[in-house]
């Protein structure tokens, strides 16, 4: 007693199924909700082939009426569904894990000002003449880190490319690690106001080239006698500039090729013209000798 038993005979099978997070919670428009992350991405389901073959998907589910305003971790039971979306309750199925932790990362959103800047920019040039479009973007990140961030610095504009008929530049937006660009704005336009500025060409004489950081036992002689330089600046300063106000610095610390004639880059400067800069890149020919 009993005289009969029922026996299920089937092939053994196991399969790996990705786990899908299905989280229901109340959102606040002032926060960014990242895609939920799971402590385990998949589950191995094993048992009779006929039972395992029923499984179409596996979910980690959680539902709450709570408004999430900070990062939360939820422990969720796994649920298997067939291809018709019906929940599977099969006593013959074995799961490598029955529950997983699901993390919902929640970050506050702030409107952050974009700050344009420049390199090779004269000391007297006002940063207020540089405008970014758009002027701000929405940024999400950890609250304590956001409190320490007042603006986003853009990739600087090289003023050697700036002149009265070249004043608009595209610059990339780069956020510190851990922050999210909510609007996914990767590039912005920087406009430079050069109202009241002008340009003219001056001649740089070789006698005004200053050689710096010459290596021990090495001598350098500038072979380029004259160099035409395009000068940009406030009209009042540019109109008073002469070739005698123009000089160039040449750094020899990078020259390691021994003797010979080489082209060396120079940086252009001005005396008594703190609002001026040189448009373009300049080089001079130099005779290098070893003593």
């Amino acid at each position: 007693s009993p005289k009969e038993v029922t026996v299920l005979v089937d092939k053994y099978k196991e399969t790996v199924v990705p786990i899908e997070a299905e989280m229901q919670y109340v959102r606040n428009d002032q926060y960014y909700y990242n895609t939920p992350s799971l402590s385990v991405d998949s589950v191995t389901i094993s048992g009779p082939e006929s039972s395992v073959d029923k499984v179409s998907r596996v979910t980690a589910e959680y539902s709450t009426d709570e408004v999430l305003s900070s990062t939360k971790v939820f422990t969720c039971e796994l649920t298997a569904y067939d291809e018709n979306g019906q929940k599977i309750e099969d006593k013959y199925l074995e799961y490598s894990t029955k529950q997983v932790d699901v993390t919902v990362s929640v970050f506050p959103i702030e409107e952050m000002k974009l700050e344009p800047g420049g390199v090779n920019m004269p000391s007297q040039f006002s940063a207020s003449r540089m405008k970014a479009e758009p002027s701000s973007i929405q940024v999400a990140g950890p609250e304590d880190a956001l409190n320490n961030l007042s603006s986003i610095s853009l990739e600087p504009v090289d003023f050697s490319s700036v002149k009265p008929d070249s004043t608009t530049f595209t610059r990339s937006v780069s956020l510190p690690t851990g922050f999210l660009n909510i609007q996914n704005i990767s590039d912005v336009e920087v406009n430079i106001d050069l109202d009241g500025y002008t340009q003219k060409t001056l001649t740089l004489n070789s006698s005004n080239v200053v050689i710096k950081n010459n290596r021990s036992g090495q001598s350098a002689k500038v072979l380029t006698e004259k160099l035409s330089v395009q000068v940009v600046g406030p009209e009042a300063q540019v109109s008073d500039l002469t070739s005698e106000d123009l000089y160039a610095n040449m750094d020899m610390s990078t020259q390691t090729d021994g003797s010979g004639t080489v082209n060396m880059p120079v940086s252009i400067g001005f005396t008594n013209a703190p609002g001026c800069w040189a448009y373009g890149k300049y080089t001079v020919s130099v005779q290098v000798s070893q003593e």
Side-chain angles (χ1 to χ4, degrees), residues 141-185:
E143 187 170 4
D144 55 346
L146 271 179
N147 291 335
N148 294 323
L149 188 68
S150 58
S151 62
I152 301 296
S153 296
L154 295 173
E155 177 190 4
V157 175
D158 188 345
F159 265 62
S160 66
S161 302
V162 178
K163 61 178 180 176
D165 61 355
S166 177
T167 58
T168 301
F169 303 87
T170 299
R171 286 297 176 264
S172 61
V173 177
S174 180
L175 299 183
T177 302
F179 290 89
L180 299 169
N181 188 334
I182 299 300
Q183 298 159 289
N184 201 27
I185 297 175

Side-chain angles (χ1 to χ4, degrees), residues 14 29 42 57 92 106 134 169 181 210 223 235 248 262 272 280 285:
E14 64 179 39
D29 290 342
S42 60
R57 55 193 290 263
Y92 298 112
V106 182
F169 303 87
N181 188 334
V210 180
L223 301 180
E235 294 176 355
V262 295
N272 302 318
S285 296

Side-chain angles (χ1 to χ4, degrees), residues 104-121:
V104 179
S105 298
V106 182
F107 301 124
I109 298 174
E110 294 286 348
E111 192 79 18
M112 204 66 63
K113 183 180 179 182
L114 296 175
E115 293 283 2
V119 293
N120 300 317
M121 187 172 74

Side-chain angles (χ1 to χ4, degrees), residues 115-273:
E115 293 283 2
V119 293
N120 300 317
M121 187 172 74
S123 60
Q124 204 179 67
F125 191 85
S126 174
S128 63
R129 284 180 171 266
M130 305 179 71
K131 304 293 184 183
E133 179 58 42
S135 60
S136 63
I137 61 172
Q138 289 185 333
V139 174
E143 187 170 4
D144 55 346
L146 271 179
N147 291 335
N148 294 323
L149 188 68
S150 58
S151 62
I152 301 296
S153 296
L154 295 173
E155 177 190 4
V157 175
D158 188 345
F159 265 62
S160 66
S161 302
V162 178
K163 61 178 180 176
D165 61 355
S166 177
T167 58
T168 301
F169 303 87
T170 299
R171 286 297 176 264
S172 61
V173 177
S174 180
L175 299 183
T177 302
F179 290 89
L180 299 169
N181 188 334
I182 299 300
Q183 298 159 289
N184 201 27
I185 297 175
S186 58
D187 296 303
V188 300
E189 193 173 85
V190 175
N191 295 292
I192 302 176
D193 178 13
L194 290 187
D195 184 35
Y197 279 63
T198 188
Q199 73 180 85
K200 73 176 181 181
T201 302
L202 291 176
T203 300
L204 173 70
N205 298 313
S206 59
S207 58
N208 287 345
V209 178
V210 180
I211 300 175
K212 294 186 173 183
N213 301 318
N214 216 359
R215 294 173 177 269
S216 177
Q218 176 179 272
S219 63
K221 179 183 178 182
V222 178
L223 301 180
T224 303
E225 294 186 0
K226 296 182 182 300
L227 188 67
S228 293
V229 176
Q230 293 188 59
V231 180
V232 183
E235 294 176 355
Q237 293 184 22
V238 171
S239 62
D240 291 338
L241 279 178
T242 68
S243 294
E244 292 305 312
D245 299 312
L246 193 63
Y247 66 88
N249 291 321
M250 181 176 62
D251 185 359
M252 293 295 294
S253 63
T254 59
Q255 174 54 35
T256 59
D257 295 337
S259 302
T261 301
V262 295
N263 283 329
M264 295 293 295
V266 293
S267 57
I268 306 298
F270 310 91
T271 57
N272 302 318

